[in-house]
Amino acid sequence: MEDPPDQLTAETVGELLEDEYARAILAETSRESLSADELAERCDASSPTIYRRINRLQEFDMLHERQT
C-alpha cells in the first residue's frame, strides 16, 4: 500500500533530496528569500520545473511561501 501524498517518510525525503533542483532550491532559500523567477535563474532551470519542485517541497513543509 502506498503512503498518502501528504505523509512525509524517509523515502519521500530521500527522493526529494535526490532531485538536483529541489536540493538547489533548498540551498538557495536557506540563505535568503527568493522569488520563483530568481530561483529559476540561480538554479538554471525553467519556471515550470521550479514551480513543480516548490509545490512538492511545500507539500511536505520543507519550504514556506512568504510575500513581501
Side-chain angles (χ1 to χ4, degrees):
M1 182 175 185
E2 203 170 300
D3 292 324
D6 59 348
Q7 185 175 346
L8 186 62
T9 64
E11 184 178 347
T12 304
V13 171
E15 288 171 7
L16 283 169
L17 296 179
E18 284 178 355
D19 183 275
E20 68 178 292
Y21 296 116
R23 281 194 318 270
I25 289 168
L26 290 172
E28 291 294 335
T29 58
S30 71
R31 289 172 243 180
E32 63 183 309
S33 296
L34 298 166
S35 69
D37 289 336
E38 291 169 320
L39 283 169
E41 185 176 316
R42 290 191 186 190
C43 298
D44 194 28
S46 68
S47 290
T49 297
I50 293 299
Y51 278 107
R52 280 192 300 272
R53 295 328 187 278
I54 287 172
N55 289 336
R56 188 78 171 139
L57 291 165
Q58 287 176 329
E59 187 178 333
F60 294 102
D61 291 327
M62 296 176 79
L63 186 70
H64 299 278
E65 184 176 8
R66 194 168 69 172
Q67 294 184 5
T68 56

